[in-house]
């Protein structure tokens, strides 16, 4: 990514793009400053990890992907992006099935619960659940929207759908259910009336099968949804209340990036708490601009918006700022989409 950025500095000649990237980097400079100030006032190592890791992860997982995807020619590489993400989900699905397939039907509920039984660490259930959700959405997009899929490609996509659903069940994350629902609404909004009716009818018919699969697999997703009020979203309601209180005490410039070695599990609240109104105005402006730019996406490029929706859902329920690759990667591509589309159309016309 550093190599691509270094070789493409000339692409920042566009004033609008340069301003957006500058605002983005400015926000992160302010966030890193707040990391350092939190470290200085922390007592007995109150930060969850060493201070330099926050900077390393922020640069590696957010800043470089965002800037890189403002530079990459989306229209030239969009098939590579889509196919690469689907194939990654396919590989992870095979690994998850091989590693945890034996737990299906054993009422384990969630793969992380295996730690209590065996004492061994497992893959992150959030990683599996959201990866499954994202891959399912992209497979459905390619099956419904992308034309010219061969018989073998359709078989591959359907197999990947099944593997992704298994990951979704093993992870049993409530946030990924929200992500799937929002993605379904996006499909409905951008589809013609006939397709909408077909999708709704198919969904209604599929509900009994999905419920049976959840119960047969032993996944705890339904019980976790039912117990959301009782467990406060796995304690998130308590964390969010503390985060809001800390923000109210430090509204303008923000306070600490963590409270009691715990991040808020909500990017919006984390931004408000850590950077106050000053930093939040910058980042929220970029998010709003990305959303409205998404409305201009062509139907065949809609998967960018779907990735953005998945990343936003993850960031609102489980993710942290320094690990929000899934959110900021499509933001980088979407924010310059209009300019790249205009250039691509001009080249086609020429």
């Amino acid at each position: 990514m550093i190599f691509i950025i270094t070789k493409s500095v000339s692409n920042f000649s566009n004033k609008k793009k340069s301003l957006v990237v500058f605002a983005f980097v400015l926000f992160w400079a302010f966030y890193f400053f707040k990391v350092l100030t939190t470290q200085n006032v922390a007592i007995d190592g109150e930060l969850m990890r060493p201070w330099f890791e926050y900077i390393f992860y922020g640069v590696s997982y957010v800043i470089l992907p965002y800037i890189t995807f403002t530079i990459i020619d989306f229209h030239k590489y969009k098939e590579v992006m889509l196919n690469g993400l689907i194939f990654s989900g396919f590989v992870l699905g095979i690994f998850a099935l091989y590693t945890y397939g034996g737990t299906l039907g054993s009422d384990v509920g969630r793969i992380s619960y295996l730690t209590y039984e065996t004492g061994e660490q497992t893959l992150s259930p959030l990683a599996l659940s959201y990866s499954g959700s994202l891959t399912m959405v992209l497979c459905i997009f390619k099956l419904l929207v992308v034309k010219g899929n061969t018989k073998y490609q359709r078989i591959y996509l359907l197999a990947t759908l099944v593997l992704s659903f298994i990951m979704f069940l093993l992870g049993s994350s409530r946030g990924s259910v929200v992500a799937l629902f929002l993605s379904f609404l996006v499909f409905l909004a951008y589809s013609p009336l006939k397709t909408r009716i077909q999708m709704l009818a198919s969904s209604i018919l599929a509900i009994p099968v999905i419920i049976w699969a959840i119960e047969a697999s032993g996944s705890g997703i339904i019980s976790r949804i039912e117990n959301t009020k009782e467990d406060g979203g796995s304690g998130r309601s308590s964390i969010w209340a503390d985060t809001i209180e800390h923000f109210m005490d430090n509204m303008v410039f923000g306070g600490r990036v963590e409270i009691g070695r715990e991040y808020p599990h909500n990017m919006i609240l984390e931004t408000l708490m850590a950077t106050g109104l000053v930093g939040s105005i910058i980042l929220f402006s970029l998010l709003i601009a990305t959303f409205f730019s998404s409305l201009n996406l062509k139907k065949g490029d809609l998967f960018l918006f779907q990735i953005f929706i998945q990343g936003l859902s993850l960031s609102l329920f489980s993710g942290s700022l320094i690990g929000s690759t899934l959110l900021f990667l499509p933001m980088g591509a979407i924010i310059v989409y209009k300019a790249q589309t205009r250039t691509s159309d001009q080249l086609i016309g020429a």
Side-chain angles (χ1 to χ4, degrees), residues 75-120:
H75 297 283
K76 183 177 180 180
Y77 294 105
K78 65 179 181 180
E79 289 188 14
V80 176
M81 292 171 58
L82 178 59
N83 293 335
L85 286 168
I86 291 175
F87 182 69
S88 298
F90 174 76
V91 173
L92 182 59
I94 291 177
F95 177 79
L97 181 62
Y98 173 78
T99 307
Y100 302 111
T103 66
L104 295 173
S106 61
D107 293 325
V108 71
R110 200 182 196 197
I111 61 165
S112 57
Y113 298 161
L114 291 173
T115 302
Y116 301 110
E117 298 179 7
T118 64
E120 296 181 1

Side-chain angles (χ1 to χ4, degrees), residues 168-233:
F168 173 80
L169 294 177
L170 290 169
S172 296
S173 169
R174 287 168 283 206
S176 58
V177 175
V178 175
L180 278 177
F181 176 73
L182 292 177
S183 291
F184 179 73
L185 294 181
V186 172
F187 277 127
L188 286 179
Y190 281 83
S191 298
L193 179 59
K194 182 179 179 180
T195 304
R196 292 179 190 177
I197 295 174
Q198 291 174 341
M199 290 180 64
L200 288 171
S202 300
S203 300
I204 293 172
L205 293 174
I207 286 175
V209 178
I210 293 173
I211 293 175
W212 171 83
I214 292 173
E215 293 178 347
S217 68
S219 173
I221 184 62
I222 293 179
S223 61
R224 297 191 80 235
I225 292 174
E226 292 173 344
N227 295 331
T228 297
K229 185 176 181 180
E230 287 76 10
D231 67 8

Side-chain angles (χ1 to χ4, degrees), residues 226-290:
E226 292 173 344
N227 295 331
T228 297
K229 185 176 181 180
E230 287 76 10
D231 67 8
S234 296
R236 283 175 176 76
S237 59
S238 175
I239 297 173
W240 291 349
D242 292 340
T243 301
I244 294 172
E245 181 180 355
H246 191 67
F247 163 67
M248 297 300 292
D249 293 335
N250 306 271
M251 290 186 64
V252 179
F253 296 105
R256 301 182 180 188
V257 298
E258 291 177 355
I259 301 178
R261 297 174 58 84
E262 188 70 63
Y263 67 96
H265 290 74
N266 181 299
M267 189 199 69
I268 301 297
L269 295 180
E270 182 178 3
T271 303
L272 288 167
M273 179 186 78
T275 65
L277 295 176
V278 173
S280 298
I281 288 173
I282 299 174
L283 184 60
F284 296 168
S285 296
L286 293 174
L287 285 170
I288 293 170
T290 301

Side-chain angles (χ1 to χ4, degrees), residues 36 49 53 71 74 94 130 152 156 163 172 179 187 189 202 207-208 219-222 256 295 308 328 330:
L36 296 176
R49 50 175 62 87
E53 289 190 17
I71 292 173
F74 169 75
I94 291 177
Y130 281 100
Y152 296 106
Y156 160 69
L163 291 170
S172 296
F187 277 127
S202 300
I207 286 175
S219 173
I221 184 62
I222 293 179
R256 301 182 180 188
L295 302 180
F308 175 72
F328 289 105

Side-chain angles (χ1 to χ4, degrees), residues 1-10 12 67 71:
M1 289 187 290
I2 293 174
F3 176 80
I4 291 172
I5 293 170
T6 303
K7 291 295 183 180
S8 306
V9 174
S10 60
F12 288 107
I67 296 177
I71 292 173

Side-chain angles (χ1 to χ4, degrees), residues 9-28:
V9 174
S10 60
N11 286 348
F12 288 107
S13 58
N14 182 287
K15 291 184 179 180
K16 182 179 178 181
K17 181 197 294 186
S18 299
L19 180 62
V20 169
V21 173
F22 173 77
F24 180 76
V25 173
L26 180 64
F27 166 81
W28 279 97

Side-chain angles (χ1 to χ4, degrees), residues 85 121 129 144 194 197 206 242 283 331 334 347:
L85 286 168
Q121 293 295 316
S129 188
L144 294 180
K194 182 179 179 180
I197 295 174
D242 292 340
L283 184 60
M331 279 179 65
I334 291 171
L347 289 173

